[in-house]
Amino acid sequence: MSASKTLLICWLGLVLLSVGTVALGGLGTSLALAGGMLAVALGKAWLITDGFMELRHAPLFWRVLLFGWPLAMAGGVWLTLL
Amino acid sequence: MSISTDPAVLSAGVARRLPGDLAMWIFILAELAVFGILILAFAVTQMLHIDLFRESRLALDSSTGLALTLGLLTSGLFAALAVEQVRGARQDRAGWLLLAALVSAGVYVVLKLQEYGHLAGLGYGLEYNTFFTLYWLLTGFHFLHVLLGMLILGYMANRCRIGAYAPGTSRSGLESGVLYWHMVDLVWVLLFPLVYLLG
């Protein structure tokens, strides 16, 4: 698959996940829904770091380091909601 | 230090390398650390004032938040495609794609300014309550990064126009500028649910 097609697929995934985030938010407020929204945000972060930022081609250290940020943020926010 | 490489080399499994300059990645990590502190401060304060945050969040429109998100993400796509075009020695197309990225980012700016104006008109200023203090600080800080990113996109579009990324020349500057723009996207995908939806 060409790099441009990969980018377009990443973008499409990001759009769908963004719409999904708002849909989840419209369902109400609960811990499960909040967890779902944070999981969706993590999916979007992965598409950006591995797709747009091309970290899928980078050494594992950098890949883990950059994805570690959204993971830490989502985990931290989740803990405050418990 | 430039450590860029072509996707063709990477797909052949010859090397796994980081796109852009190492200095840009260190800068990105520093920026993410600052945003991380602000995001966690927002989340912890929300935990302490859960009802206040829930009520204040009603003043925000999640549809506007979605439109802001799509504006930024589409801009990120155009910027990433521009890098691919430069790698394929098609600088003219890259220049147009960077301009498209600027227009898409402009949609974000216009919508965000409208939201700011709307909230300020309703009296929800920086000192209205704790939620809005953090809302203005967090989104305002991100907004400034968007504006800086747009300056970088415009600079790189002009560089494409004058043929500065010709084959054989370094592309790490372009890759680094686009990486900065993706960092702005990355921060927003966490900010959006936290500020507009969660709680």
Side-chain angles (χ1 to χ4, degrees):
Chain A
M1 186 186 296
S2 73
S4 296
K5 273 187 186 170
T6 303
L7 291 171
L8 280 168
I9 290 170
C10 286
W11 175 78
L12 192 59
L14 286 164
V15 170
L16 292 174
L17 289 174
S18 299
V19 173
T21 304
V22 176
L24 283 174
L27 291 177
T29 53
S30 73
L31 199 56
L33 286 170
M37 280 186 271
L38 288 171
V40 170
L42 276 179
K44 291 167 72 178
W46 176 74
L47 286 172
I48 290 173
T49 55
D50 259 32
F52 282 4
M53 295 175 115
E54 300 181 300
L55 284 172
R56 65 189 181 281
H57 299 310
L60 186 62
F61 169 77
W62 284 97
R63 208 173 175 187
V64 170
L65 192 61
L66 260 291
F67 190 69
W69 184 80
L71 202 58
M73 291 303 104
V77 171
W78 171 256
L79 287 175
T80 66
L81 296 173
L82 292 177
Chain B
M1 179 172 68
S2 175
I3 45 177
S4 307
T5 190
D6 286 328
V9 175
L10 294 166
S11 62
V14 174
R16 297 189 71 82
R17 292 188 183 175
L18 207 53
D21 290 321
L22 182 61
M24 176 52 79
W25 284 103
I26 292 169
F27 179 68
I28 285 172
L29 289 176
E31 291 275 35
L32 290 178
V34 175
F35 272 110
I37 291 167
L38 289 171
I39 285 171
L40 292 178
F42 189 100
V44 169
T45 311
Q46 174 175 248
M47 181 179 69
L48 299 173
H49 305 279
I50 188 74
D51 290 333
L52 173 73
F53 272 56
R54 194 167 287 162
E55 288 165 17
S56 299
R57 192 175 276 117
L58 294 175
L60 302 179
D61 179 14
S62 61
S63 301
T64 303
L66 177 61
L68 291 166
T69 304
L70 297 183
L72 275 187
L73 294 175
T74 304
S75 181
L77 169 70
F78 286 135
L81 288 172
V83 173
E84 285 306 311
Q85 293 300 316
V86 166
R87 286 174 181 155
R90 293 180 291 269
Q91 286 190 82
D92 283 351
R93 285 190 198 175
W96 285 111
L97 283 164
L98 287 170
L99 280 179
L102 263 178
V103 170
S104 191
V107 170
Y108 171 92
V109 169
V110 169
L111 288 174
K112 198 68 196 163
L113 287 175
Q114 282 179 351
E115 183 181 76
Y116 283 157
H118 175 69
L119 292 173
L122 292 173
Y124 299 133
L126 186 68
E127 297 178 353
Y128 182 75
N129 64 22
T130 311
F131 173 86
F132 282 104
T133 299
L134 289 170
Y135 163 84
W136 284 98
L137 287 176
L138 194 50
T139 65
F141 189 54
H142 181 265
F143 186 73
L144 291 177
H145 282 73
V146 171
L147 295 182
L148 175 60
M150 289 176 73
L151 284 177
I152 294 170
L153 289 177
Y155 171 77
M156 295 188 305
N158 187 54
R159 298 262 299 162
C160 285
R161 188 183 62 81
I162 62 174
Y165 301 119
T169 59
S170 172
R171 301 168 199 147
S172 64
L174 175 77
E175 290 175 345
S176 297
V178 170
L179 283 170
Y180 175 86
W181 190 241
H182 294 321
M183 184 272 292
V184 172
D185 274 0
L186 179 62
V187 171
W188 181 257
V189 300
L190 267 295
L191 277 191
F192 170 52
L194 177 65
V195 173
Y196 287 79
L197 301 169
L198 282 176

